[in-house]
Amino acid sequence: QVQLVETGGGLVQAGGSLRLSCAASGRTDSGYRMGWFRQAPGKEREFVARIWGGGSTYYADSVKGRFTISRDNGKNTKTMYLQMNSLKPEDTAVYYCAAGPVGNWNYWGQGTQVTVSS
């Protein structure tokens, strides 16, 4: 079992920055990919970015060039980050971290609210 806890959300003005963190504990596997998703009010959850244990990354077009995903593979706890720059009001959403093997996001965090004011 894997536990994921997100922190770092908040309120920021358009053009500002925030950094989200996701602490993963339990039976983590460095081979798992980890990722960020978000869900805005009235919309479906959407993919934001993902990162493999080896460090390769992939981004949604909507955040490419503005967001950076990274991770630390500690012995007992792995932490993933999402550095968000040049934030826009349309980035407002609940952000979730997720982890799992290829083809499945087995584990999810509880979410953290990001609000970008215009």
Side-chain angles (χ1 to χ4, degrees), residues 96-112:
Y96 298 90
C97 69
V102 175
N104 204 350
W105 295 101
N106 291 344
Y107 305 102
W108 293 86
Q110 81 288 351
T112 186

Side-chain angles (χ1 to χ4, degrees), residues 40-106:
K43 295 187 177 181
E44 293 188 353
R45 189 174 298 186
E46 66 174 2
F47 167 80
V48 175
R50 67 170 180 259
I51 186 167
W52 288 95
S56 61
T57 60
Y58 183 79
Y59 297 90
D61 287 343
S62 59
V63 306
K64 201 173 295 182
R66 300 188 297 122
F67 291 10
T68 302
I69 189 172
S70 60
R71 67 188 278 180
D72 293 329
N73 288 325
K75 181 178 181 180
N76 298 314
T77 302
K78 296 173 177 54
T79 305
M80 177 179 63
Y81 304 96
L82 186 68
Q83 177 66 43
M84 304 185 293
N85 298 329
S86 301
L87 282 162
K88 305 175 181 180
E90 51 264 44
D91 294 318
T92 294
V94 177
Y95 283 70
Y96 298 90
C97 69
V102 175
N104 204 350
W105 295 101
N106 291 344

Side-chain angles (χ1 to χ4, degrees), residues 8-21:
L11 173 65
V12 64
Q13 288 189 331
S17 299
L18 279 176
R19 190 174 84 151
L20 305 182
S21 299

